[in-house]
Amino acid sequence: MTAENPKTIVLPQIDEVHPEVTLSVDREPLVKPTKDSKRILVIGGGVSGLMTAWILLDKGYRVTIVSKEWAWTRNMQHSRLTSQIAGALWEFPPGGCGLTEVDAPGKGWAGLGHYREWALESYEFYKKLNDMLGGQIKRDFGVTVAKLNQFFYHDLKEADDLNSEDFSKLEAAKKAFADHRIDNLKEHDPESLAAIFDQLNVDQQWRQQLKAGYTHDAPIINTDRAMAFLMSLIKNKGADLETRELKEALPTSANILAKQYNAAAIINATGLGAALLAPDPDVYPVRGAIKRLENTSTSTSTSSSPHLKEAYLIPAQRFPSSNQPTKVIFIVPRSDSILIVGSIIQPQTSTLNLASDSPEVENMWTRALSFLPALNDRKPIPEYPLAQGLRPFTRKNAKVRAEWVDGGKTKTTTLVVHNYGHGGSGWTLGVGCARSAVGLLEGVGEGGRTVEEVNGRLYPG
């Protein structure tokens, strides 16, 4: 948001790899296309594809988006896209789901530093969106900034064999706070931790087990509303949307698609679809599920708050006495009307056959309820009590990179920029990854660099 134009968000330049990006929430593109403007084909209708399209449209590109399916924005009893099912709580990487979300693939690939930079760029975007136009865009997009409280079974004063990842994550978060990139970070001493537990009426067992915690501001996305906002915005800005399932891999179809859509380049934001489209054998599904509750207490107690306003997370860790991995507790107020409780993490499981009485769903609920008994005062949302979906994970981490694709029998090549494999962090990484994807595209198309050069600048070494 700028003083000159209150409808714009400026993400300032960080370095040559992260140039300034300006986004407008106005219906018109910030830079209107001309007869000479290039068209970009975006494949994928989730948050990664739509965010990339938004940046391109406001830069003056023409955009066509092709997707097998789109977010349901009217009848919410239908199943959702992965981008809608997501818990959509911003987490400083790595996330607390318990799966190794960020591998260490070595030089030339995205690492933890890239994840954190992408996440912090997204954080800045959501924070500015939250403040725009006196709260109007906050309501339209469905973003709120709330306190995220995280708790741990071990203290975080010094690193040891059990807490090294959580300790290093906190140290990095403290640096981001000192750099004014995360707001209101506070570490909890035993007294402040006890005060939180008193307020929540946490069971004594949990009070004895949880030894440390910290709180900071975190964006929370109402994904149904946000996807509806993004789809409406990009259509108003001039994007063409086409429902189409692409069944042929890009190495043999990219040139044909570029010719069909008169596209100068292709953005591949297909999530799990990239397994076949890229094709990429590193892509694999991780099944997840969350319970959806009414965020209104039915308790008549005067001490009971009608709505949960803060998020609570007990990340997966190793329990000190047994060294065994623990399960996640994830409690997130998506709005005053919707409360999300999770979560389930099941790698290499692609069948969506969970029900409210499935053993893992019941265990997830029992776990959360034992920590926060007040959840028992919330009723399931009747029309959609359980959301389940497949997170798009990849080995070697999120794939944000450029390549020239030789389209088989034709003698031409097509520039393809990939933007997929964000795991359970699509909304956390979405803005930063979209910005990098557009940067790669322009580095080759406008900057005249090779794909090796632009990839090497993003992933030096």
Side-chain angles (χ1 to χ4, degrees):
M1 182 172 57
T2 67
E4 295 80 11
N5 188 344
K7 291 187 176 182
T8 62
I9 293 173
V10 177
L11 300 178
Q13 179 172 344
I14 299 171
D15 51 34
E16 289 185 347
V17 182
H18 302 88
E20 180 178 297
V21 169
T22 304
L23 291 167
S24 167
V25 297
D26 199 11
R27 293 167 60 92
E28 297 292 324
L30 198 61
V31 178
K32 293 188 177 181
T34 68
K35 62 182 180 64
D36 298 321
S37 295
K38 294 179 179 179
R39 180 174 294 276
I40 307 300
L41 174 62
V42 177
I43 307 175
V47 58
S48 298
L50 299 187
M51 279 303 314
T52 306
W54 184 359
I55 295 174
L56 290 167
L57 288 162
D58 273 341
K59 281 178 166 283
Y61 290 90
R62 300 183 187 277
V63 175
T64 298
I65 307 175
V66 171
S67 183
K68 175 184 175 182
E69 55 189 346
W70 305 95
W72 287 101
T73 57
R74 294 183 179 88
N75 184 351
M76 290 307 175
Q77 294 188 42
H78 283 280
S79 61
R80 267 85 155 172
L81 292 182
T82 298
S83 293
Q84 290 177 278
I85 294 167
L89 167 70
W90 186 94
E91 291 185 60
F92 189 62
C97 71
L99 192 68
T100 301
E101 186 173 45
V102 187
D103 291 331
K107 295 178 180 179
W109 300 94
L112 184 55
H114 294 91
Y115 272 62
R116 286 175 175 167
E117 179 55 42
W118 287 329
L120 290 170
E121 291 173 28
S122 301
Y123 187 102
E124 180 179 7
F125 169 82
Y126 294 132
K127 188 171 74 168
K128 289 181 175 179
L129 200 69
N130 183 69
D131 296 335
M132 287 186 82
L133 301 178
Q136 175 188 335
I137 303 303
K138 166 185 174 177
R139 293 188 295 272
D140 292 347
F141 190 92
V143 61
T144 58
V145 176
K147 300 294 183 187
L148 167 58
N149 304 276
Q150 300 188 63
F151 307 114
F152 301 87
Y153 299 105
H154 38 248
D155 73 58
L156 299 176
K157 295 177 182 177
E158 295 182 1
D160 58 36
D161 292 341
L162 289 175
N163 75 354
S164 57
E165 183 175 289
D166 296 319
F167 175 83
S168 62
K169 176 177 174 177
L170 174 57
E171 291 301 301
K174 285 159 68 174
K175 183 180 185 305
F177 171 64
D179 292 340
H180 306 288
R181 303 189 73 185
I182 292 178
D183 292 339
N184 298 318
L185 176 66
K186 177 185 177 183
E187 295 181 76
H188 294 300
D189 57 26
E191 290 74 23
S192 61
L193 204 60
I196 294 174
F197 293 159
D198 286 343
Q199 184 179 12
L200 297 175
N201 194 28
V202 171
D203 185 83
Q204 190 64 33
Q205 173 189 352
W206 287 101
R207 293 171 183 256
Q208 294 173 353
Q209 292 179 351
L210 296 171
K211 307 298 184 183
Y214 59 89
T215 296
H216 60 72
D217 289 356
I220 299 171
I221 312 302
N222 184 330
T223 55
D224 289 334
R225 181 165 291 188
M227 289 298 290
F229 178 95
L230 289 171
M231 288 188 66
S232 176
L233 184 71
I234 62 171
K235 285 190 287 187
N236 287 331
K237 287 179 181 288
D240 296 323
L241 276 62
E242 180 178 327
T243 306
R244 178 181 177 184
E245 183 178 3
L246 301 178
K247 297 184 178 181
E248 194 171 354
L250 288 173
T252 56
S253 67
N255 291 348
I256 297 171
L257 291 169
K259 185 176 180 180
Q260 285 180 346
Y261 293 98
N262 192 29
I266 295 173
I267 302 286
N268 171 24
T270 52
L272 284 175
L276 297 176
L277 195 68
D280 187 350
D282 287 342
V283 175
Y284 64 97
V286 175
R287 184 169 69 175
I290 51 177
K291 288 181 73 75
R292 293 164 49 91
L293 309 177
E294 296 176 354
N295 191 13
T296 303
S297 174
T298 59
S299 172
T300 57
S301 170
T302 56
S303 62
S304 178
S305 173
H307 307 294
L308 277 179
K309 298 288 188 181
E310 300 183 6
Y312 302 94
L313 174 63
I314 303 179
Q317 305 157 60
R318 289 198 172 275
F319 199 71
S321 62
S322 64
N323 198 31
Q324 294 300 303
T326 65
K327 301 289 187 180
V328 177
I329 294 178
F330 179 92
I331 302 167
V332 179
R334 180 161 288 178
S335 66
D336 279 349
S337 59
I338 302 173
L339 184 67
I340 301 298
V341 176
S343 64
I344 290 171
I345 300 98
Q346 296 176 320
Q348 303 290 359
T349 302
S350 57
T351 305
L352 298 178
N353 60 354
L354 294 174
S356 294
D357 59 354
S358 296
E360 53 268 74
V361 175
E362 290 186 335
N363 289 340
M364 174 184 76
W365 173 244
T366 300
R367 202 163 56 239
L369 188 61
S370 71
F371 171 74
L372 189 59
L375 291 176
N376 219 21
D377 298 330
R378 270 75 180 174
K379 295 181 179 179
I381 294 176
E383 67 274 13
Y384 197 45
L386 179 71
Q388 58 185 307
L390 304 177
R391 304 175 179 96
F393 273 78
T394 64
R395 301 170 188 89
K396 299 180 184 174
N397 301 332
K399 303 291 178 66
V400 184
R401 57 198 311 111
E403 67 171 329
W404 286 106
V405 174
D406 183 352
K409 297 179 180 179
T410 64
K411 294 183 179 181
T412 58
T413 56
T414 299
L415 177 62
V416 175
V417 177
H418 300 287
N419 182 15
Y420 65 85
H422 308 100
S425 301
W427 290 96
T428 293
L429 304 177
V431 180
C433 285
R435 181 186 192 178
S436 287
V438 174
L440 292 171
L441 183 148
E442 293 192 321
V444 176
E446 305 297 332
R449 298 182 175 90
T450 67
V451 293
E452 292 79 12
E453 286 175 327
V454 297
N455 289 333
R457 283 154 59 91
L458 183 56
Y459 309 115

